[in-house]
Amino acid sequence: MSSRYVNLVGILGDPESGKTACLASLYLLVANAMLAGWSFADSRTLTAFEDIARGARDWNDGIPPDQMTVHTELSDDRQPGFLHLRLVRESDGRPVDLALPDVPGEWTQALINSAESERFGFLKSAEVIWIVLDGRVLANRERRQGLIARVGQLVARLNTMLEQDLPKLLLVVTHRDRYVIDDAMTARLMGEVERRGATAEIVSIAPFSDAPEVTQPGFGIAGLIDSSLSRATQRADFWKSKPADAGRFYLNFRRAK
């Protein structure tokens, strides 16, 4: 990051929500030249990508494993590990560097439940934050409201931690092969986020698929990268042109003579 610009992505979500599956699917798509609109240029962490994608490679006589990725565990419980990926956008040839953290879901739970934010200092440099939501939970009528409420609590924690200066937020709904988010659920999620003074976009993905005839593995991953690297539609003014009141401000030199 000291030698060139890197787009740092924050990735949050409960255990088993699909955070590591997103990274594994992204890597496998890139490795097979199947990430629409993007091509691979470089990675400083190929071994780490291989480690998280190994489960998806180990099939028994053509039968996929019960779990494509393993639960994330870090040797250092105080700071995340980052995966690096350099991509080239095919539309204009622009190279883009991504830094992607693979952190345990328990960190997100601790942030929501007890405001333990010390390990998330890197989010202050993030261009975008993915809040990964398990589509299977949203499909469950008995569990979905709890998850929606936790989304609002997480956004509130982020707002406090980042001093009301949130980067772009993406609600990443996994398991698109099992659950297709509808307008009513979209409205409920957006309402919860807006109630906390923020805005977000929803992206549905299927890193892997139990029903490939309905939803192909890797569905939505390219769109997730596109959304992550597109600019937010609204940005705060870097320097306001007028003072907030009539006090003695340097900008008063603009007053009419």
Side-chain angles (χ1 to χ4, degrees), residues 50-243:
E50 279 293 322
D51 286 343
I52 66 173
R54 185 171 294 122
R57 296 183 184 278
D58 295 337
W59 290 30
N60 185 14
D61 296 328
I63 300 175
D66 294 333
Q67 188 168 344
M68 290 291 188
T69 59
V70 298
H71 180 71
T72 299
E73 295 182 1
L74 301 179
S75 57
D76 188 342
D77 192 45
R78 295 169 296 177
Q79 59 184 6
F82 286 90
L83 298 165
H84 168 255
L85 197 60
R86 184 171 173 84
L87 302 174
V88 174
R89 188 161 56 194
E90 294 176 355
S91 62
D92 57 8
R94 176 194 172 197
V96 175
D97 284 88
L98 295 170
L100 304 155
D102 187 20
V103 300
E106 289 78 8
W107 286 21
T108 300
Q109 290 180 330
L111 176 60
I112 294 173
N113 297 334
S114 55
E116 293 183 21
S117 60
E118 294 81 5
R119 294 175 292 198
F120 288 105
F122 68 91
L123 291 180
K124 296 178 180 179
S125 300
E127 298 280 344
V128 61
I129 295 177
W130 300 352
I131 299 178
V132 182
L133 309 179
D134 191 335
R136 298 169 299 182
V137 177
L138 291 177
N140 188 310
R141 292 186 178 182
E142 296 179 354
R143 301 173 61 194
R144 63 176 58 157
Q145 185 53 45
L147 180 56
I148 294 170
R150 288 174 64 80
V151 170
Q153 293 167 356
L154 178 55
V155 172
R157 295 291 194 197
L158 291 172
N159 244 334
T160 299
M161 184 178 69
L162 301 178
E163 300 177 345
Q164 310 295 318
D165 188 22
L166 286 174
K168 185 174 186 178
L169 294 181
L170 296 180
L171 303 185
V172 183
V173 181
T174 60
H175 294 281
R176 171 60 169 69
D177 54 315
R178 298 190 184 184
Y179 173 71
V180 179
I181 190 168
D182 57 20
D183 292 342
M185 181 58 64
T186 297
R188 290 174 66 179
L189 285 168
M190 292 296 95
E192 187 66 28
V193 171
E194 291 170 2
R195 192 168 69 87
R196 306 292 181 159
T199 59
E201 297 177 19
I202 293 179
V203 180
S204 291
I205 64 170
F208 303 102
S209 178
D210 292 332
E213 69 280 1
V214 177
T215 304
Q216 285 293 316
F219 176 91
I221 298 294
L224 176 59
I225 297 302
D226 291 339
S227 296
S228 299
L229 296 174
S230 64
R231 294 185 179 274
T233 55
Q234 295 182 348
R235 301 182 66 90
D237 292 338
F238 177 72
W239 190 293
K240 295 183 182 298
S241 61
K242 294 183 180 180

